[in-house]
Amino acid sequence: MPDIQQSVDFKAIVAQTSAVLLTRGVEVEPVAVRDVVALMVRSVAERMNMDPEEALHLVRPESVAEAITAAADPGREGSEHVYAVRPVRVDARSVAVPVRTLGRLVMAAAQAGKYATLNGDGRTASHVLDLATEIGAALTAEGVGDEAELPVGVLTSGFREGPVRVLIK
């Protein structure tokens, strides 16, 4: 399968699948999309008893996107292990937040990440660790005084209720 993953057709399906997912409001790590496309090509090739190059033409980006969104559905059993899928941020505004408040959010994110990991909830752990990383990046940006600029999308994406509300609960 490594040969086919270097082909233009394979890379095109991966790119098209990512585009379809974005139109559905979902952002997925490129490696995860590539792996799902590879799995689908391999499955089609085995079931239909054909070469992977031929099977590649039977796999459609919409089908791959549907499989990814179905696997990531929070209501589905086992979806807590799907960590590479996140809602797309549509709010590009930024807000000035006191450094002390951001420090508390980093501490809360670290605790939430720890408990999510202990409870086997990889998706929540991934999201809160991403949140802590982005807050840390805002805190270490040049020119930070008493306040740091943080994208509003950081505070509202990742959870149905927003990660900040999850951390406060």
Side-chain angles (χ1 to χ4, degrees):
M1 185 66 77
D3 307 333
I4 199 168
Q5 289 187 13
Q6 300 306 318
S7 73
V8 173
D9 290 338
F10 185 91
K11 291 178 181 180
I13 290 176
V14 171
Q16 291 168 356
T17 300
S18 293
V20 170
L21 288 164
L22 286 173
T23 64
R24 296 180 183 187
V26 178
E27 181 181 14
V28 181
E29 296 293 328
V31 172
V33 175
R34 187 192 70 221
D35 289 348
V36 173
V37 171
L39 175 67
M40 290 185 86
V41 169
R42 188 171 44 250
S43 297
V44 169
E46 288 172 1
R47 287 183 183 167
M48 303 298 285
N49 197 25
M50 54 181 23
D51 291 329
E53 292 86 15
E54 294 173 315
L56 180 62
H57 298 288
L58 298 176
V59 174
R60 297 283 168 238
E62 294 80 11
S63 301
V64 179
E66 186 63 37
I68 290 171
T69 53
D73 180 12
R76 185 177 179 152
E77 185 177 334
S79 69
E80 65 275 0
H81 302 295
V82 179
Y83 59 87
V85 179
R86 292 178 193 83
V88 175
R89 289 189 189 150
V90 292
D91 197 340
R93 297 174 297 160
S94 63
V95 61
V97 182
V99 169
R100 186 173 180 164
T101 300
L102 291 177
R104 288 183 178 147
L105 284 176
V106 169
M107 291 186 304
Q111 287 294 312
K114 178 175 97 177
Y115 291 123
T117 301
L118 291 173
N119 290 321
D121 187 353
R123 176 183 284 184
T124 300
S126 177
H127 286 309
V128 295
L129 293 174
D130 285 345
L131 174 65
T133 301
E134 293 195 58
I135 294 171
L139 287 169
T140 60
E142 215 170 297
V144 173
D146 292 339
E147 292 185 333
E149 290 291 317
L150 190 66
V152 172
V154 170
L155 301 173
T156 60
S157 67
F159 297 93
R160 287 185 187 161
E161 303 174 30
V164 174
R165 287 195 198 127
V166 170
L167 294 176
I168 294 172
K169 281 186 177 177

